[in-house]
Amino acid sequence: MGSVLVHVAAADGTAVSLELGPGDVARFGRGSADRPVEITLPDPAVPRLAGEIRASEDHWQLSNFSTSLSYVVENPEGAGEYIRIAPRRIGAPVPFEFARVVLPTQGATQSFQVYAPAHTYYDAPPLPQSAGPATLMAFPLDESATYFLVLVALCEPRLRDMSASAVPTTRQVVERLRTHDTCPGISEPTVSFHIDYLARNKLRVRQPESGGRRMDGKREAVVSLALRFGLVREDHLALLPARPATRLENS
């Protein structure tokens, strides 16, 4: 059990931090004399009383008091993972340890960050094998295989930047991996083979119907599924060679 930390960066460079213990509440919005808030977001498009954060034992809840605006809670470490809080939604539990609450405005969005207590995980030893057929692996990936390096290279831009970054082309994957110790001679046909192998055998993604965009659709589908189920995570980026300048971001 721990506290929830709310961090608000102001436009003038100052910052405000607010610590909430279990059961504590903090309201956010534009605020006014008759509707004071603990978290001030001084944008004319933000309601005076926009919502409320309630700290719980190991997570926090978000209430949206707006009658028309949806708010977005992003996981900055989740490769584009987010949840949308609908208007008038009360007490929506937020599952992220680190989150950014984003409110729409007529200009740049208003946001603040929330840090939740560290999550707890089941740490008991695995249950003994039961009689009968063993449980099958949904996605039997070998993290030491070249196809997994290709998959990590495909996911890299979105893991590093949660915005809708483009999936690397086959040539960009080749350039990214050619300095890796295990695949110095990797070629475009080899990368294409591994992408096809991932799509068909390992991840079993559907093929797009449009023939003209077949490979782009396949790469997108592979990356989307891998990130959605957490098959490739930020810690897997360490498998890639050191980044050469900013080639991937600018391509």
Side-chain angles (χ1 to χ4, degrees):
M1 182 181 303
S3 58
V4 170
L5 181 65
V6 182
H7 180 79
V8 188
D12 60 1
T14 61
V16 176
S17 294
L18 184 65
E19 187 170 351
L20 306 176
D24 290 347
V25 172
R27 295 161 295 182
F28 60 90
R30 200 159 88 251
S32 65
D34 59 339
R35 292 181 181 176
V37 295
E38 288 75 29
I39 304 168
T40 304
L41 303 173
D43 187 286
V46 172
R48 294 194 179 279
L49 182 57
E52 178 183 278
I53 289 175
R54 179 180 296 274
S56 188
E57 293 184 352
D58 61 353
H59 67 285
W60 55 282
Q61 300 173 336
L62 180 66
S63 295
N64 180 353
F65 296 152
S66 171
T67 58
S68 59
L69 298 175
S70 290
Y71 305 152
V72 172
V73 183
E74 301 173 339
N75 177 6
E77 300 174 331
E81 187 178 23
Y82 73 92
I83 58 174
R84 184 172 59 248
I85 311 299
R88 311 300 289 175
R89 176 72 162 91
I90 300 299
V94 178
F96 310 139
E97 287 188 42
F98 175 35
R100 181 186 298 119
V101 179
V102 181
L103 282 71
T105 70
Q106 293 186 350
T109 56
Q110 286 279 297
S111 66
F112 57 90
Q113 297 170 339
V114 182
Y115 301 82
H119 291 175
T120 56
Y121 293 89
Y122 186 66
D123 60 357
L127 297 173
Q129 184 71 39
S130 301
T135 303
L136 299 177
M137 294 180 64
F139 304 111
L141 296 174
D142 179 358
E143 297 187 5
S144 65
T146 301
Y147 68 74
F148 192 78
L149 278 177
V150 171
L151 182 58
V152 176
L154 287 171
C155 296
E156 183 182 24
R158 294 192 180 175
L159 285 171
R160 296 193 185 280
D161 181 356
M162 64 179 298
S163 62
S165 302
V167 175
T169 65
T170 300
R171 176 177 291 277
Q172 288 172 323
V173 173
V174 170
E175 293 174 353
R176 187 71 182 96
L177 295 181
R178 67 178 19 156
T179 59
H180 195 282
D181 293 340
T182 64
C183 46
I186 196 166
S187 63
E188 290 189 42
T190 302
V191 169
S192 295
F193 170 81
H194 285 304
I195 293 173
D196 191 61
Y197 180 66
L198 284 163
R200 186 180 60 248
N201 296 82
K202 292 297 182 179
L203 305 183
R204 302 179 303 283
V205 299
R206 291 184 177 179
Q207 299 301 305
E209 295 179 357
S210 172
R213 300 177 58 189
R214 188 166 181 272
M215 280 305 295
D216 287 345
K218 187 181 296 183
R219 284 196 301 270
E220 286 279 356
V222 164
V223 169
S224 176
L225 188 143
L227 295 178
R228 184 186 309 162
F229 286 98
L231 307 178
V232 177
R233 305 177 301 275
E234 286 186 333
D235 56 293
H236 288 126
L237 295 176
L239 297 174
L240 299 176
R243 301 179 72 192
T246 58
R247 188 83 176 258
L248 275 175
E249 288 81 354
N250 295 331
S251 58

